[in-house]
Amino acid sequence: MQRRLFPVAVLLLFAAPFTVADEKKPPAELTDPVEVLKKMDAAIKAVESVAYDIEFEPTGDAVKFLPKGKGTVILSGWSEGRPKMFRVDTDAVMPQATASTRLTAGADGENYYLIDHANKKVYEDIDPGVMGKGGQVAFSAVMPEFVHPTPFEDEIEKSEKQTMKDAAKLGDHDCYVVFVEYKGGQRKSSWYISKQDFLPRRRVDHWDMPGTAVGDLRKTITKLVIDPKLEPDAFKCKPPAGYEKIDDFAP
């Protein structure tokens, strides 16, 4: 009888570890804000191009000089302190305005342009100033970190302090929230970082200068596609038929 039981006992002994090992354990929660920022930095450095939908909204004193709206964005490359190629379609309300304005702004690697859909006008030049105030609207929708060569160097190495805040859920993503205080004391940001892919889903820039400006600009990504398949002319200026080409800078 003992000989018959021995093989069964041995089988159970070796089976037990496999049962335990096959159980999927949730990843351990990270508690070090610098570790989270470094993971986000590494994840973004693997990105070559990006497409996303975004909502942007200022609060406090920021409403006096920043637009509110939503848009779709594609970005690729980096040059001269800004994304090398981009196309931003926005529907936004400018400061002090009540009605929204639809604009398309972009760069194809050589020229910058602005398409004013309300007035059916097109502005294009090698100088980014050609976009006028529309450029401010466009960059309210841009998260340049997605194509920056050193996206989070300031947050990791050149900030005064990084702090973990309570986790948050944005859409289908559970997010770490890291609050960063930059050197100088007046610039602060909160980063909402997906626990799934360590890519940012929200950025909140805080202004805290009593007597001058107290407010936020919140940018929330609602749809994100990494390295999308883009057409060869994806970044070209393509105004609809009937639009007028203006030989001047946009106001």
Side-chain angles (χ1 to χ4, degrees), residues 172-235:
D172 296 330
H173 290 262
D174 292 315
C175 295
Y176 292 109
V177 181
V178 179
F179 179 70
V180 178
E181 298 178 58
Y182 300 90
K183 290 183 178 179
Q186 295 181 340
R187 183 175 166 231
K188 303 173 184 177
S189 294
S190 295
W191 289 93
Y192 291 65
I193 305 153
S194 171
K195 295 180 181 180
Q196 297 178 28
D197 55 20
F198 285 95
L199 293 172
R201 290 308 191 279
R202 174 180 287 171
R203 170 181 178 166
V204 184
D205 291 319
H206 309 280
W207 287 271
D208 187 8
M209 296 174 281
T212 304
V214 179
D216 299 331
L217 175 62
R218 181 177 63 196
K219 300 181 181 184
T220 303
I221 291 176
T222 56
K223 181 181 179 181
L224 177 65
V225 180
I226 297 302
D227 296 331
K229 185 177 180 180
L230 299 172
E231 297 296 328
D233 62 348
F235 298 100

Side-chain angles (χ1 to χ4, degrees), residues 111-133:
N111 293 320
Y112 296 86
Y113 58 86
L114 178 80
I115 304 175
D116 180 348
H117 295 283
N119 297 302
K120 296 185 178 181
K121 293 181 178 181
V122 183
Y123 307 84
E124 188 172 13
D125 195 88
I126 60 172
D127 189 332
V130 75
M131 297 183 289
K133 293 180 180 178

Side-chain angles (χ1 to χ4, degrees), residues 6 20 81 84 108-109 120 142 165 168 186 201 219 225 238 240 242:
F6 178 76
V20 174
K84 181 177 182 179
D108 60 10
K120 296 185 178 181
V142 168
K165 298 295 185 181
Q186 295 181 340
R201 290 308 191 279
K219 300 181 181 184
V225 180
K238 294 179 287 186

